[in-house]
Amino acid sequence: MRLMIRCCRMPYVFGTMLLLAAAAHHAGCAWDTPSWSPDGSRIAFATSRSAEVEELDGTLGQLRYIYDDAVYVARLGEEESEPVRVADGRAPLWSPNGEVIAFLRSSEQDGQQGKELWLADARGNGDVRRVEFESDVAWLSSWSPDGSRILAAMSGDVTFPGVAGTYQGYRASVVAVGNASVSPIGLGVLSFQGGAWSPDGKQLALAGWQKDEQSREVHALVVVPVAGGEAKTIMRDVEDDAKYSLLMAPAWDSTGRWIAVLEMQRAVREVPGHSRPVDAAVGLNVILVSPDGAVRKTVHHMPLEFAKAFEYTAPAFSPDGKRLAYMMNGHFYAADVEAAIAEGTAPQEVPLYGKLPEGRILGMPAWYPTGSAIAITVLTPRAWETWAFQPDSGDARRVARVPRPE
């Protein structure tokens, strides 16, 4: 299977890695990840104009615009149903009460491209409305447990204490859907790399990066009270000898005991065929850390080849918090959380070989509300498809399909 994983934006990239980052989106966002209705009867997904990237001499080249940005909903049943197009846009997120789907829609003001937050009636009756505020939304992270707010990333310049100039980055913000108020949250000096709500909705786990006075990259995972108060740093890495660990896309389990985070180990190194050193991924870790930072366990470590650096997804907890699903080097894994905390255990690979169509897997895995299946989207040469597979057996079936336009 040929894969393209939508992954985290790298803060500093060189050479062809710049093309990789331009073609990718954040792993902690919805983008084109399927989103289940709370009762599991329907699934939302999106097609994207930037659906394909031509490969030129082994590197990524020009984006090929094939599909429209569109949000679809398919009803689950014994037979595959025809998906219904509910809105122009992308990155659907189903609200906890099942009544609304939040999504992003591209816009243009004064010649500048941006994205706006919109809401669609989940019944697919065509009722959509824009959430009116001025900030440009880079991506959506998740709804709050009570369905009143959305954690989102807002595009903008960020400044770091003691460091001259500004850097292009993202601000973690909470959008109150009812009154369209936007509240930046967390450490203002961190450029946002993904976040997650605690189960009680009172705290946020935020991943981000900054520069220090020695121009070194500093990456951190912090826990922030939503109502205000001191943030607690529970993981931190400082660049050393052109090596650093990028922390991104945290997920909080339903019991409140664990935060999972993806750690990408990066280093500037010489790569054959490149005229100058490349900032390249050299390893991936899936890490479990307690909210107070006292306990930390590495669930999975995998060294990476340069060519395989972006065939991964961020970890996603099952609804009961007992399992983690993620992809590394193009292979899906399901890890038992309690077993991962014990020493000497290894995650089990989901046996998917030959059960999915040839194509590019897009976005993160989405657990069915009961935890019995996982959904993903696959861009095949002929269609945009949504598939559901069982995490133990790998048995898979297609649940929705949007044909490729002629």
Side-chain angles (χ1 to χ4, degrees):
M1 174 174 289
R2 192 154 148 254
L3 306 171
M4 182 177 73
I5 307 305
R6 294 188 181 272
C7 50
C8 279
R9 174 188 177 273
M10 302 299 109
Y12 299 97
V13 288
F14 304 96
T16 58
M17 294 298 286
L18 182 60
L19 291 172
L20 283 166
H25 295 294
H26 199 279
C29 70
W31 283 119
D32 304 310
T33 299
S35 181
W36 296 96
S37 63
D39 64 1
S41 66
R42 292 167 293 169
I43 190 167
F45 62 97
T47 57
S48 166
R49 291 186 68 239
S50 54
E52 277 193 359
V53 183
E54 292 179 329
E55 292 189 7
L56 305 175
D57 299 326
T59 63
L60 297 183
Q62 296 295 318
L63 290 170
R64 298 178 61 196
Y65 299 116
I66 298 173
Y67 293 84
D68 295 327
D69 285 352
V71 176
Y72 291 84
V73 170
R75 184 168 293 278
L76 275 293
E78 293 184 3
E79 301 294 332
E80 180 182 337
S81 65
E82 185 76 16
V84 176
R85 180 170 175 155
V86 298
D88 295 337
R90 61 190 306 177
L93 277 179
W94 217 300
S95 66
N97 65 8
E99 296 178 358
V100 174
I101 298 173
F103 64 96
L104 296 181
R105 180 176 287 181
S106 297
S107 64
E108 184 172 340
Q109 285 188 338
D110 301 324
Q112 298 294 318
Q113 291 288 335
K115 299 182 187 70
E116 301 168 339
L117 173 59
W118 285 68
L119 302 176
D121 190 299
R123 293 171 295 183
N125 58 12
D127 183 12
V128 298
R129 67 178 179 90
R130 181 190 169 210
V131 182
E132 300 282 349
F133 54 83
E134 297 301 320
S135 302
D136 178 32
V137 186
W139 72 82
L140 304 178
S141 188
S142 58
W143 286 87
S144 62
D146 65 3
S148 65
R149 295 160 293 176
I150 296 175
L151 176 62
M154 304 299 182
S155 301
D157 292 335
V158 295
T159 59
F160 305 128
V163 180
T166 61
Y167 293 79
Q168 181 182 1
Y170 306 108
R171 297 184 299 274
S173 300
V174 171
V175 180
V177 176
N179 61 12
S181 64
V182 179
S183 303
I185 195 164
L187 299 178
V189 298
L190 282 181
S191 180
F192 188 41
Q193 286 286 118
W197 295 86
S198 62
D200 60 9
K202 295 180 178 180
Q203 299 182 94
L204 286 165
L206 306 176
W209 65 274
Q210 67 180 91
K211 293 285 245 181
D212 68 7
E213 294 179 357
Q214 287 76 46
S215 197
R216 299 175 302 181
E217 290 194 22
V218 180
H219 297 265
L221 176 65
V222 300
V223 173
V224 184
V226 176
E230 184 177 355
K232 180 178 181 60
T233 299
I234 60 174
M235 288 185 67
R236 188 173 184 268
D237 180 81
V238 180
E239 179 184 355
D240 182 27
D241 193 24
K243 299 177 182 178
Y244 62 93
S245 290
L246 182 68
L247 301 174
M248 49 193 174
W252 210 313
D253 84 319
S254 58
T255 70
R257 294 178 57 201
W258 300 106
I259 297 168
V261 67
L262 187 67
E263 178 185 51
M264 177 183 279
Q265 298 171 330
R266 301 183 64 83
V268 177
R269 63 177 185 173
E270 301 289 340
V271 175
H274 292 262
S275 59
R276 56 181 177 177
V278 172
D279 179 4
V282 296
L284 283 176
N285 292 319
V286 172
I287 296 174
L288 285 171
V289 58
S290 59
D292 61 2
V295 180
R296 185 189 307 178
K297 294 288 185 179
T298 298
V299 176
H300 199 153
H301 168 72
M302 181 175 286
L304 289 180
E305 301 173 5
F306 177 73
K308 296 282 188 179
F310 288 86
E311 295 182 2
Y312 70 91
T313 70
F317 280 104
S318 60
D320 61 8
K322 294 181 178 181
R323 306 184 81 181
L324 274 175
Y326 55 90
M327 179 187 281
M328 281 189 175
N329 266 8
H331 298 271
F332 268 102
Y333 295 88
D336 183 279
V337 172
E338 291 303 321
I341 299 303
E343 299 295 339
T345 60
Q348 296 298 309
E349 182 178 348
V350 180
L352 282 173
Y353 182 77
K355 298 177 181 178
L356 295 175
E358 291 293 321
R360 297 174 185 264
I361 295 178
L362 308 174
M364 293 169 56
W367 286 88
Y368 188 75
T370 65
S372 59
I374 298 170
I376 54 174
T377 53
V378 182
L379 178 63
T380 74
R382 296 182 178 274
W384 196 292
E385 301 182 357
T386 299
W387 284 72
F389 63 86
Q390 295 179 345
D392 295 312
S393 66
D395 291 343
R397 74 179 182 103
R398 193 176 70 194
V399 297
R401 181 179 188 270
V402 176
R404 177 171 175 155
E406 298 296 333

